[in-house]
């Protein structure tokens, strides 16, 4: 019984890997970079992408694949900013899987794009476990969530190639020590770049734009 | 192949239900109420329980089962407040399952308790899918997460018997309309009580304490 259960999990994971590999092939062929932004509900992922549209859309044409459990609200927000956006609904599942991402990717106007950003389902845990064919994961952590979250939810911070600490405009109103948070991140992933950002006040946006631009250029 | 996969999922779920039923038997026998608090990372679940200790521990003796993926930090915080607390580590899993809860429950000093509060893993999605034998789920939603989260993550808000909107002390610093949030909750669950609370300023603590006390007394 136990052996049969293990087999099934291996099959499911293999299926996901297969679609992730197909996505990587398409991205390589078209010269497109794919980023996978992961963070809790309300960590400011969509607000960041709205702001990013103004900053880099002219230089680096990009589209967004917007992962949610239900509703098309986030895709509507981004479409209003002029970003080609598709909504990926998981209908209850807590993360995006590679097959859904692959299907949506093929429907994008790929020959006009240099970058695809996947905004994963709001969840600090499960999305980090599923390879969707991305070149890098970015962890989004809001200052309202507490300094110790990286050690409490280590997988995402281990896998991330950049950490964006969001909503830093709220720091004056919180009992949140940013140095303690950065130490917690470095404890899990000593070399990862940590950027502080507030899309609302623009603080740190230039640094995030630079990180993304450099990553796209060197990928 | 497909049939075998379905069978396995049924077995796992059946296994979980079996342990949840055992927990319900123990709780009934001992006259103990169990609450399951679910919310995103950083939604203020532990801070609420720290405050609750001062408010009701004398009247309603309670223990906490503290669910986390890694670290014993939250259990340490609650133990410092004099609350009997056990740490349940999922070692990577995104939710608590009934067997782990049951095992930990049996190790508590049950004959001294009237209430057990389970603080689930920080995650607005998966914990709502797993029955752990509780009498009620409480949804914790922070004002920093955005008004629309109940419609984007509907399962928890459908299942919850109360919603605590937390960190309301931050409202003056946020673009968050509490009435819009309450409407979003009522759209998903028209009759659920919605309470506003800030453990930091004590605002709304009395109403939350009353709700919990009434629920324990009438259960």
């Amino acid at each position: 019984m136990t052996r049969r259960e293990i087999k099934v999990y291996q099959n499911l994971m293999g299926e996901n890997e297969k679609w992730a590999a197909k996505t990587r092939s398409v991205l390589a062929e078209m010269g497109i970079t794919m980023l996978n932004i992961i963070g809790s509900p309300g960590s400011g992922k969509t607000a960041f992408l709205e702001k990013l549209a103004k900053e880099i859309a002219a230089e680096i044409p990009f589209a967004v694949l917007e992962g949610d459990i239900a509703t098309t609200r986030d895709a509507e927000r981004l479409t209003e900013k002029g970003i080609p956006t598709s909504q990926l609904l998981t209908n209850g599942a807590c993360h995006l899987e590679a097959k859904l991402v692959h299907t949506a990717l093929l429907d994008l106007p790929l020959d006009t794009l240099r970058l695809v950003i996947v905004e994963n389902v709001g969840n600090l845990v499960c999305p980090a476990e599923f390879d969707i064919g991305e070149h890098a994961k970015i962890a989004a952590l809001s200052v309202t969530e507490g300094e110790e979250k990286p050690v409490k939810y280590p997988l995402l911070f281990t896998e991330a190639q950049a950490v964006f600490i969001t909503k830093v405009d709220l720091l004056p109103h919180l009992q949140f020590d940013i140095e303690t948070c950065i130490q917690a991140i470095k404890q899990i992933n000593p070399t990862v770049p940590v950027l502080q950002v507030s899309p609302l006040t623009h603080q740190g946006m230039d640094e995030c734009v630079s990180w993304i631009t450099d990553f796209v250029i060197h990928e």
Side-chain angles (χ1 to χ4, degrees), chain A residues 116-152:
Chain A
V116 172
I117 302 182
V118 180
E119 184 185 334
N120 221 305
V121 176
N123 184 331
L124 207 50
V125 189
C126 317
E129 296 171 16
F130 288 80
D131 178 10
I132 55 172
E134 76 276 5
H135 294 96
K137 293 180 177 73
I138 297 174
L141 178 69
S142 155
V143 294
T144 61
E145 294 178 57
E147 303 97 341
E148 81 294 0
K149 291 298 175 291
V151 288
K152 289 181 66 185

Side-chain angles (χ1 to χ4, degrees), chain A residues 39 85 91 117 178 200 208 215:
Chain A
T85 306
N91 292 320
I117 302 182
I178 197 125
L200 200 66
C208 292
F215 188 86

